[in-house]
Structures are given as structure tokens and as C-alpha cells.
Amino acid sequence: MKRYTEALGISAFEEPFAKQLLEEIRPFCDVVIQDDFGNVIGIRNSKKKGAKKLMFEAHMDRIGLMISHVCDDGRLSFVSLGGIDERILPFARVEIFARNEKIPGIIASDVCDEKRSLKMDELFIDTGRPADEIVNKIRPGDTVILKAKTENLSGNTLCGSAMDNRAGVAAVVSALADLKEVALPYNLYCVFTTQEELGLHGAFTVTQKIKPDFAVAVDVTHGMTPDTKEEIGVFPLGSGAVICRGPNFHYSLTKKLISLAKEKRIPHTIEVAGGPSGTTAWAIQIGEGGIPVTLLSIPLRYMHTNVETLDVGDVAAVRDLLKYIAEGGMESEQ
């Protein structure tokens, strides 16, 4: 988790993390490729004749920022890449990826209003460097990340940035590693997609390429915080794997998934989405004339901030459920 969450690779610029993933999954796959859209695909072939295609998918991008304008006085305007929580931006520390240099900075503002949160267009990045140096070194389009350290808070609780969705990536990679010596009934495609935070783009393109017979998307969902205790649709950390039900998901496969979690005594709970889930499962479901898809999620507090917090036991629960699915746990439904 620490290695993944501290890796670079913001939306549309995932290449640093993609390279890392390509090498990490290579020992567990028969084929490892990166497609033209940047998606990383690891394939484990079944020895079973006529085996169906099962796809595990987790998006690998993380939210970030991009320089939009370099002012004459050295201040840097910026836009978001993904739905970043604007409330955390003032006075956050950042790192700018300039031409051949990483430049530290701080998000500041010359607006003072104690009654409301500042908007992104009221903020700028201050590097503390002379204006002429900044004008020569930083260009519009340079990418920016919020600086954060991944660390243990207490027990199984881990805090840092990019848990969305590096936690899902970790669950899929861990399941793939556990399956290394297992004869699989399916041709297993483990896919790590790009640009989810910008509109599910990588999931749309890769589904058309692979054409799976059925799929499991892995993502995060909202973890319970003190101010959301009475709300529906938030889950305490430690809930295990969150299985989503609703029209975005294949009815009988989801029922089988719930039965499998009960049979294997995997901690789990149920989430409900009355329409599009807002996850890559939506892109997968409507791809190639319709793909049966289910969704497994990991409860996450403070989503889209640099202090995202989860319970690693929930990541392990998703990993274990994925492993049982790949071993044939959904066979009776296919």
C-alpha cells in the first residue's frame, strides 16, 4: 500500500505507475501488455478448452493538479485533474513536475473570507522563487501533486493520498499473486485502467478491446466519518468488502457474489446504487453490447484528499473474494 500510494501517476499522466505495475505483475502472468490508451493488462491463461474471459478491473490513476497559467510575478494558477476536494487546498504543500526538476510549492491566496471555503480560481501556487526563474522553468500543462506521506495511524488503519484507487489496485495484484500456482477455470484479465477520474475513459476503451464474458470492478466507497453517522451509503472502516447492488450490476452474479462471501466467511456488507454507480462498472456494463459486471469496494474516509484513510483488513477482504471468484466461485452462474 505504501509503495503504491506514494507512486506518481495522476489522471492522464499514469505512465510512472504503469511502468511499476508492468514489472510487479509480470511474475504472475502469462502475458503483460500496455495498450495504446495506457491501460496495463496482465493475462493468466486457463488450460480449460473454451474457457471464458473474466476481467478484474481497478483504475490506477490518482487525482492531481495542472498548471494553467504562469503569472509575470511568479504566481501559478492551476486546475484540477479529477474531483479534488477544494476545502483542503489552501496552504497545502505541493510538488510541481517541471521540465527536468521537481519544484516544491505551497497553495496560497490573497483572498481572506472566514465565512466560506475558497474556490480554486482564488488560489495560486507560491514556490518562493524569483519570478524570472519560475517563468523560465514552469509551463502551462506541467503537473502537480499534493505532497503526502502514507503512514499507519493505529492498528489496521492507514492514511495517505491516492488510496483511491491504489487500494483497489493492491487488492487485485495481491489476488493475482495468490493465484500464481492455481489452475484457473477462466482466462483471467487483470486490468489497471487510466483516466477514471476524468470520465472512466480507460475502462471504456479496454472493455472494447478485451470483450470479457463477465467482470468485477474494484474501487473505493465512502467510509463513515463523525459527521456522516446517520447517513445511508457510508460504511465504517472494517466493514470488509462492500458489494454493490442496483441496475448497474448483473442481478444473479451479484447474488452469487454475496453467497460466495457468506460461504467463505469473508467480512462484507451491501451498498445500493439506484442508477449509474459513478465507477468503472458503468463503463464496463454498457461496453460491447452489455457486459455482466459486479462491483467490490473498499470503505475510504476523506475521499479525494491527501489524508484518505482506510482499514487494510478491508483491502484483504476484497483480495480474498477476488481470489475465490477467479478459482471458480461464480461458475454456477456462467
Side-chain angles (χ1 to χ4, degrees):
M1 288 293 299
K2 181 176 175 63
R3 190 169 66 253
Y4 285 6
T5 54
E6 292 187 350
L8 301 178
I10 64 176
S11 295
F13 300 89
E14 297 91 350
E15 192 61 23
F17 189 48
K19 288 181 178 178
Q20 180 178 330
L21 276 180
L22 284 164
E23 296 309 311
E24 291 218 7
I25 66 174
R26 199 176 300 279
F28 315 124
C29 298
D30 299 311
V31 179
V32 174
I33 59 174
Q34 186 175 18
D35 69 14
D36 292 339
F37 206 73
N39 302 305
V40 171
I41 305 167
I43 306 170
R44 271 285 313 279
N45 291 317
S46 173
K47 295 181 180 179
K48 179 181 174 183
K49 186 176 181 180
K52 293 184 176 181
K53 293 180 183 178
L54 166 61
M55 184 173 79
F56 290 162
E57 183 277 339
H59 74 86
M60 64 175 168
D61 56 323
R62 58 183 290 177
I63 59 171
L65 306 171
M66 177 180 282
I67 302 299
S68 59
H69 181 66
V70 180
C71 301
D72 292 339
D73 61 5
R75 295 191 299 177
L76 303 168
S77 301
F78 59 89
V79 296
S80 65
L81 292 175
I84 200 163
D85 191 330
E86 291 183 339
R87 295 173 297 176
I88 68 162
L89 291 177
F91 313 114
R93 298 181 65 178
V94 300
E95 199 163 47
I96 305 160
F97 293 84
R99 298 175 189 181
N100 296 305
E101 183 180 359
K102 291 187 290 186
I103 299 176
I106 297 169
I107 296 178
S109 179
D110 51 17
V111 176
C112 182
D113 191 335
E114 297 179 355
K115 296 182 179 180
R116 64 177 178 85
S117 298
L118 298 178
K119 299 299 183 182
M120 197 170 299
D121 60 7
E122 298 173 312
L123 303 171
F124 60 87
I125 296 174
D126 178 9
T127 65
R129 301 193 182 197
D132 56 350
E133 179 182 342
I134 290 303
V135 168
N136 290 326
K137 285 190 174 183
I138 297 177
R139 299 168 296 179
D142 287 345
T143 56
V144 183
I145 62 167
L146 300 178
K147 294 191 71 173
K149 180 181 179 182
T150 301
E151 57 187 351
N152 177 253
L153 293 182
S154 175
N156 284 337
T157 306
L158 203 64
C159 174
S161 62
M163 300 288 182
D164 176 11
N165 181 39
R166 303 292 170 79
V169 172
V172 174
V173 174
S174 296
L176 183 60
D178 286 350
L179 292 164
K180 183 177 180 180
E181 304 299 330
V182 178
L184 301 180
Y186 312 116
N187 292 316
L188 177 62
Y189 290 72
C190 291
V191 179
F192 308 98
T193 56
T194 59
Q195 298 190 30
E196 186 270 353
E197 301 291 358
L198 303 180
L200 319 178
H201 301 162
F204 277 113
T205 61
V206 82
T207 302
Q208 295 175 22
K209 182 184 298 290
I210 293 174
K211 301 179 176 64
D213 292 291
F214 65 118
V216 182
V218 182
D219 208 331
V220 296
T221 190
H222 291 284
M224 184 178 291
T225 54
D227 60 324
T228 62
K229 285 183 178 179
E230 306 303 320
E231 294 185 18
I232 296 172
V234 295
F235 303 91
L237 303 192
S239 296
V242 180
I243 302 171
C244 202
R245 302 193 67 178
N248 191 175
F249 314 107
H250 193 274
Y251 179 75
S252 62
L253 280 184
T254 303
K255 286 184 63 178
K256 180 60 180 177
L257 185 55
I258 295 168
S259 297
L260 183 64
K262 291 178 179 177
E263 176 190 340
K264 300 299 184 181
R265 299 181 181 275
I266 296 174
H268 65 283
T269 190
I270 306 300
E271 182 176 15
V272 172
S277 62
T279 70
T280 48
W282 178 247
I284 295 168
Q285 183 193 37
I286 62 174
E288 287 303 305
I291 304 295
V293 65
T294 58
L295 174 66
L296 292 177
S297 299
I298 300 159
L300 183 72
R301 289 180 186 159
Y302 319 124
M303 194 180 297
H304 286 193
T305 72
N306 55 347
V307 291
E308 294 177 335
T309 303
L310 53 69
D311 186 319
V312 294
D314 296 334
V315 183
V318 171
R319 173 204 61 199
D320 292 344
L321 199 44
L322 290 170
K323 184 179 72 170
Y324 288 125
I325 293 168
E327 289 175 343
M330 313 289 274
E331 187 70 29
S332 62
E333 293 291 333
Q334 298 305 305

